[in-house]
Amino acid sequence: MSKEQILSSDGVPLEVSLKKAERRNKIRALMLVGPLFLFLLITYVFPIGDMLFRSVDDRMITSKLPNTFAALEQWDGKELPDEEVYEAFYKDFYPLAIAKEAGKLYQRLNYEKSGFSSGLKKTNRKIKKFEKGNYKEQFMATHKIWNKVEYWTALKNTGPNWSYAKYLKGMDLKFDDQRNIVQVAEDRQIHKILWLRTLNVAFWVTVFCFCLAYPISHLLATLPMKYSNLLMICVLLPFWTSLLVRTSSWMVLLQQQGPINDLIVWLGLAANDNRPELMYNVIGTFVAMTQILLPFMVLPLYSVMKTISPSLMRAGKSLGGTPLTAFIKIYFPLTMPGIGAGCLLVFIISIGYYITPALVGGASGSLISNTIAYHMKSSLDWAFASALGTMLLVGVLAIYWVYNKLVGIDNIKLG
Amino acid sequence: MSKNKQFVKFDNVDKSYDGKILVVKGLNLDIEEGEFVTMLGPSGSGKTTCLMMLAGFETPTHGEIYLDNNVISNIPPHKRGIGMVFQNYALFPHMTVYENLAFPLRVRKIPKDEADKKIDKALSMVSLQGFEARMPMQLSGGQQQRVAVARSLVFDPKLVLMDEPLGALDKNLRESMQYEIKHIHESIGVTVVYVTHDQTEALTMSNRIAVFNDGKVQQLSSPDDLYEKPVNSFVAEFIGENNTFNGTVSDVSESACKVKLNNGTEILANPISVKAKGDKTTVSLRPERALINPENKMDNNHKGKIKEVIYHGDHTRLRIDMLGNEQFILKIPNSSSNLDIKLGNEINIGWNAIDSRALDPK
């Protein structure tokens, strides 16, 4: 290939003049995209970045107790620390106690080891009367935590500014005193169950949605326009209704004295005094979520099926394939992009689903998102909520990656 | 082995989609084994419906269809063993050319080595060897069409249906594909039922053509008969170019009739569907049968005025105002340039009675 540069008629290299000519259009296009880009940055990239940051951020305690941690550097962790460590702690804690700013400290240290909260509270009250010198004895006299090595070890363990302890907690793991990763006690392993339940619910909701949506979409794609429009509205109508209204209507339907239970009793499937519980358990979550997420499966399937020419099935049959063979060999593979898109969409939405499991799920039907909400609103352990959120995000990305490896993201069709 | 004269037989077939309108009315049609029959007609004339009934995708509302003397109305499409080429090719987009061709063989459980031989043969028939691994999307329109033809033939069906298979191709490709399909038909002797609305296509390819209009076969005959001897005005009008004169029969005998045109002139014509004096009729005359300044005496001689001259390369087309018909078309080959063909000139035009056919009134 010759390296000769092609010039436009005024002698400027062609590439340069092309860029010049296109610049105006490029700037215009950028200006159109700009607001959206900014919006995404503010509402999406920034919050997610902040969430990732919070989940590992553990600087608060180091910043509150700088002298203590500096002194603890030298401590070997076998015996109780020396006087200078106690003195450093006094230097850090005294101003906090005076300014009444120690509250966060109790909470954070109590996560690390229970007992800290009451110990620190008592110390907080007494520290104002401490005399100069011999702090070790005065501390040890104040509360028993100060004469236990474990508490000092726990305190030292909070030293690193960045910590993945919250992620361990999300997987029912923790650091023991020697900084080894161990499982938490069996009766406290709640997150593993929640994760499994979340995946389980997401999987089955996806399966149910697929089984229901495939025939509907096929009907939608093959019916004449006037009927298919009506059917489409029927599919979309719930979509336009508030999520809360739909979930509440399921609560009405599924409750023990509700119409569905009435029907079951009337059909003789259950005794009147032994009505099955359809709500506040996993059944309610399945039913309501499947109904709510159905349109997300129907729409991609429909858009793909719409493009499949009916003559392909005819060709399959005229070539000697039974209707079933023609379906399996021709129609089904051609709907794969829609199936992939629909399943991915429903699965991803359902692993992060919140309102429905919160309202109809009860204790046995609540999902990981409900736990995240709990830590955001009630326990105020935002770092842990962020860690769970990040784990969810990573999970979704992993599913996306696996899907890409198996099916290929190019084979997705959303509409 | 004598050939089955009624290999395909439509016996008084009616078809209605909505219970109000018959799209096919009392259709009777026999197709001989090994024949290439084209169903030709304007859109909505019922030709595709007939094909779909034959393929099994539509059921006749009334009447029976026979294939090789068996009633096929109750046989589902996949058991009829009829090859079909669709308008938009209907190649399976997720399969390679090889897999497309292998599909009919696999469902018939033909062993792989035998299937491979058949596929190879079918592909060589359409000169597409070496394209086995391609996906349909990687092929041009003409190549896709050939694959579709090969796929319809690969399982050796006795009957192949083609539903406007060349409609989506450009003109040159369409013409070469016409010959190609014709040659394939000739070489393997399969019976072909071909649907098109393109009359040149029909004339080029077929043994016989069934002209459809209004749910009925208007005429079933060989291409030359169809062109030279149309039996009614619709066929005369639909096939090729046609000049018409409307008038009333003033005298009729076995071999000739006189038609009095609306402007009072009488012309001699060939009585095809006129029975008696006083019948209304439309006289049809092919443009190439009328001569300018004829040297010999002809049955009809009239003067006309040139209204338009259109140059067409190999011939020139004249629009002439004659005997009250302003749309009279004449074709003259571009070799003889001594003729005085200028806009507005009057010229003598003559034709024989046998070529002007007095048909049913339009």
Side-chain angles (χ1 to χ4, degrees):
Chain A
M1 218 177 92
S2 82
K3 285 264 176 187
E4 209 174 312
Q5 208 171 25
I6 306 168
L7 302 179
S8 63
S9 55
D10 55 355
V12 183
L14 192 60
E15 264 184 58
V16 175
S17 50
L18 180 71
K19 265 186 195 156
K20 207 169 159 189
E22 298 281 310
R23 193 181 297 148
R24 249 181 99 85
N25 280 339
K26 268 190 188 163
I27 290 172
R28 211 177 284 169
L30 264 179
M31 275 162 63
L32 282 173
V33 180
L36 175 69
F37 185 72
L38 212 66
F39 179 78
L40 272 182
L41 198 74
I42 294 168
T43 61
Y44 192 73
V45 177
F46 177 71
I48 285 192
D50 186 59
M51 181 179 80
L52 288 171
F53 183 74
R54 269 173 195 279
S55 68
V56 292
D57 179 20
D58 199 17
R59 289 172 307 173
M60 183 274 289
I61 196 157
T62 333
S63 66
K64 296 255 185 200
L65 306 172
N67 298 315
T68 317
F69 284 108
L72 277 172
E73 291 273 305
Q74 314 299 325
W75 183 52
D76 61 359
K78 283 170 189 151
E79 306 271 314
L80 275 178
D82 301 331
E83 169 65 18
E84 51 187 294
V85 174
Y86 284 92
E87 189 181 346
F89 185 73
Y90 176 77
K91 270 191 211 157
D92 287 334
F93 197 68
Y94 185 71
L96 290 176
I98 297 297
K100 299 195 164 110
E101 278 176 357
K104 277 189 180 174
L105 212 58
Y106 308 159
Q107 204 189 5
R108 173 67 190 88
L109 282 172
N110 212 45
Y111 285 143
E112 202 64 27
K113 191 157 182 71
S114 51
F116 255 122
S117 190
S118 56
L120 284 171
K121 274 179 191 159
K122 194 167 183 194
T123 315
N124 195 4
R125 285 197 300 276
K126 298 264 171 92
I127 201 163
K128 291 158 202 162
K129 295 171 189 157
F130 275 24
E131 283 161 22
K132 209 168 175 335
N134 210 3
Y135 292 109
K136 186 170 178 176
E137 270 175 33
Q138 293 188 64
F139 268 113
M140 283 164 72
T142 312
H143 197 275
K144 59 176 188 281
I145 60 165
W146 300 123
N147 40 33
K148 285 184 179 155
V149 180
E150 304 101 85
Y151 282 92
W152 282 107
T153 315
L155 183 62
K156 193 181 179 182
N157 284 346
T158 63
N161 280 339
W162 310 102
S163 139
Y164 55 94
K166 297 293 179 190
Y167 290 93
L168 293 180
K169 190 176 169 194
M171 289 182 285
D172 287 337
L173 300 170
K174 64 169 184 183
F175 287 120
D176 65 4
D177 298 343
Q178 277 75 50
R179 302 287 293 169
N180 294 318
I181 295 168
V182 293
Q183 297 228 327
V184 300
E186 202 131 314
D187 55 332
R188 311 197 79 183
Q189 293 185 358
I190 49 166
H191 297 111
K192 227 180 248 171
I193 298 169
L194 273 174
W195 283 116
L196 287 177
R197 188 190 294 150
T198 305
L199 288 177
N200 191 38
V201 166
F203 175 78
W204 285 109
V205 166
T206 309
V207 170
F208 293 148
C209 276
F210 172 72
C211 293
L212 292 173
Y214 202 87
I216 297 173
S217 316
H218 180 72
L219 202 62
L220 270 173
T222 47
L223 271 183
M225 205 53 152
K226 56 175 177 180
Y227 301 114
S228 73
N229 275 344
L230 193 71
L231 194 62
M232 195 58 158
I233 289 171
C234 290
V235 170
L236 288 178
L237 203 61
F239 216 36
W240 299 330
T241 324
S242 148
L243 182 62
L244 205 60
V245 170
R246 274 183 290 162
T247 309
S248 329
S249 62
W250 273 114
M251 292 170 76
V252 172
L253 287 174
L254 292 174
Q255 60 186 307
Q256 275 205 311
Q257 300 303 322
I260 291 178
N261 253 318
D262 287 347
L263 187 72
I264 290 172
V265 169
W266 183 75
L267 287 171
L269 296 173
N272 195 20
D273 50 0
N274 189 23
R275 291 179 169 230
E277 273 193 49
L278 300 176
M279 206 168 48
Y280 303 126
N281 55 24
V282 120
I283 298 175
T285 312
F286 276 147
V287 172
M289 276 177 73
T290 302
Q291 192 266 334
I292 286 161
L293 294 176
L294 198 58
F296 290 100
M297 187 68 93
V298 171
L299 291 176
L301 276 177
Y302 167 74
S303 81
V304 167
M305 286 177 177
K306 197 82 188 157
T307 63
I308 299 174
S309 159
S311 66
L312 288 178
M313 276 297 274
R314 288 187 160 184
K317 287 183 210 163
S318 82
L319 291 169
T322 60
L324 186 68
T325 320
F327 174 80
I328 294 171
K329 291 275 163 92
I330 297 156
Y331 197 80
F332 190 76
L334 289 174
T335 57
M336 265 331 264
I339 297 174
C343 289
L344 205 61
L345 207 58
V346 170
F347 191 84
I348 288 175
I349 295 176
S350 45
I351 48 179
Y353 224 59
Y354 170 63
I355 293 186
T356 308
L359 289 180
V360 298
S364 67
S366 78
L367 305 180
I368 200 73
S369 55
N370 306 107
T371 312
I372 296 178
Y374 167 77
H375 287 295
M376 289 295 291
K377 293 190 302 186
S378 308
S379 82
L380 297 182
D381 190 355
W382 287 13
F384 185 44
S386 298
L388 287 178
T390 307
M391 287 164 81
L392 202 55
L393 182 68
V394 170
V396 167
L397 291 177
I399 291 161
Y400 201 66
W401 181 80
V402 169
Y403 181 85
N404 188 27
K405 285 278 150 191
L406 291 180
V407 187
I409 241 63
D410 308 337
N411 279 332
I412 251 186
K413 200 160 179 271
L414 285 173
Chain B
M1 198 181 81
S2 75
K3 286 195 171 168
N4 190 345
K5 285 273 186 197
Q6 297 184 329
F7 184 63
V8 176
K9 180 179 169 67
F10 284 86
D11 185 15
N12 210 9
V13 171
D14 288 341
K15 174 71 186 174
S16 172
Y17 286 105
D18 52 4
K20 288 171 194 152
I21 302 159
L22 279 174
V23 285
V24 176
K25 296 173 193 162
L27 177 78
N28 288 298
L29 182 64
D30 293 344
I31 296 168
E32 197 180 321
E33 199 172 350
E35 211 177 9
F36 194 122
V37 170
T38 300
M39 295 177 172
L40 176 67
S43 44
S45 59
K47 54 192 192 317
T48 300
T49 307
C50 284
L51 200 73
M52 289 301 164
M53 287 194 285
L54 190 51
F57 300 123
E58 302 288 352
T59 43
T61 314
H62 174 80
E64 293 289 359
I65 302 170
Y66 298 87
L67 176 63
D68 214 1
N69 299 329
N70 301 315
V71 176
I72 55 168
S73 300
N74 293 322
I75 304 174
H78 63 273
K79 288 186 182 148
R80 294 193 181 190
I82 297 175
M84 183 146 183
V85 182
F86 291 83
Q87 196 165 8
N88 46 11
Y89 321 139
L91 295 178
F92 307 136
H94 58 301
M95 297 183 186
T96 62
V97 169
Y98 174 88
E99 286 164 341
N100 262 285
L101 265 71
F103 182 86
L105 304 173
R106 274 197 197 137
V107 298
R108 286 177 173 75
K109 305 210 162 40
I110 289 171
K112 194 179 178 306
D113 48 342
E114 199 188 329
D116 283 353
K117 268 182 218 151
K118 280 179 187 278
I119 291 167
D120 204 46
K121 197 178 133 210
L123 280 179
S124 69
M125 209 148 51
V126 294
S127 32
L128 276 181
Q129 295 113 307
F131 284 75
E132 284 90 344
R134 299 273 194 99
M135 299 303 278
M137 289 300 282
Q138 299 169 309
L139 302 175
S140 68
Q143 289 168 334
Q144 290 186 30
Q145 185 53 66
R146 288 182 209 191
V147 175
V149 170
R151 189 180 66 177
S152 72
L153 294 168
V154 73
F155 59 103
D156 302 321
K158 284 187 168 169
L159 174 63
V160 174
L161 311 180
M162 301 191 183
D163 182 12
E164 307 207 17
L166 307 181
L169 302 180
D170 65 62
K171 189 168 172 290
N172 287 338
L173 201 53
R174 196 157 63 219
E175 276 166 11
S176 71
M177 279 302 291
Q178 285 169 14
Y179 295 121
E180 212 164 314
I181 292 177
K182 189 176 159 77
H183 293 151
I184 290 171
H185 166 251
E186 281 160 5
S187 66
I188 63 174
V190 65
T191 313
V192 178
V193 178
Y194 191 98
V195 162
T196 183
H197 61 259
D198 181 338
Q199 41 141 324
T200 1
E201 209 166 284
L203 293 173
T204 320
M205 301 171 79
S206 326
N207 297 124
R208 284 196 299 161
I209 299 171
V211 179
F212 273 70
N213 189 39
D214 206 16
K216 280 186 172 155
V217 175
Q218 303 289 331
Q219 185 170 359
L220 172 66
S221 46
S222 61
D224 51 337
D225 274 356
L226 205 62
Y227 185 78
E228 310 286 353
K229 297 170 189 162
V231 296
N232 60 35
S233 297
F234 174 80
V235 176
E237 196 67 8
F238 191 73
I239 309 288
E241 229 170 340
N242 191 34
N243 293 311
T244 56
F245 300 105
N246 293 320
T248 319
V249 178
S250 55
D251 192 14
V252 62
S253 72
E254 257 319 270
S255 59
C257 66
K258 276 186 183 164
V259 176
K260 190 170 187 186
L261 303 184
N262 295 343
N263 69 348
T265 326
E266 271 194 343
I267 58 170
L268 286 168
N270 184 5
I272 303 298
S273 49
V274 291
K275 299 276 183 302
K277 209 172 145 179
D279 283 357
K280 291 260 179 205
T281 183
T282 296
V283 177
S284 147
L285 175 68
R286 296 290 179 199
E288 64 275 10
R289 294 299 162 108
L291 302 177
I292 298 175
N293 299 333
E295 286 163 18
N296 304 323
K297 175 92 180 81
M298 297 187 102
D299 296 340
N300 294 295
N301 275 294
H302 295 283
K303 275 199 183 310
K305 197 174 183 184
I306 301 176
K307 285 281 189 185
E308 199 175 356
V309 181
I310 307 152
Y311 182 70
H312 267 268
D314 56 343
H315 70 275
T316 300
R317 184 173 296 234
L318 304 182
R319 185 165 67 81
I320 293 162
D321 180 8
M322 185 175 73
L323 302 174
N325 180 358
E326 282 195 26
Q327 303 292 332
F328 190 91
I329 300 289
L330 267 185
K331 284 183 191 170
I332 46 172
N334 273 344
S335 53
S336 48
S337 54
N338 53 350
L339 290 174
D340 197 14
I341 44 168
K342 287 213 179 68
L343 210 62
N345 281 6
E346 280 219 332
I347 46 174
N348 280 317
I349 294 161
W351 69 92
N352 284 324
I354 189 112
D355 293 327
S356 54
R357 297 165 68 86
L359 305 167
D360 55 316
K362 206 164 47 168

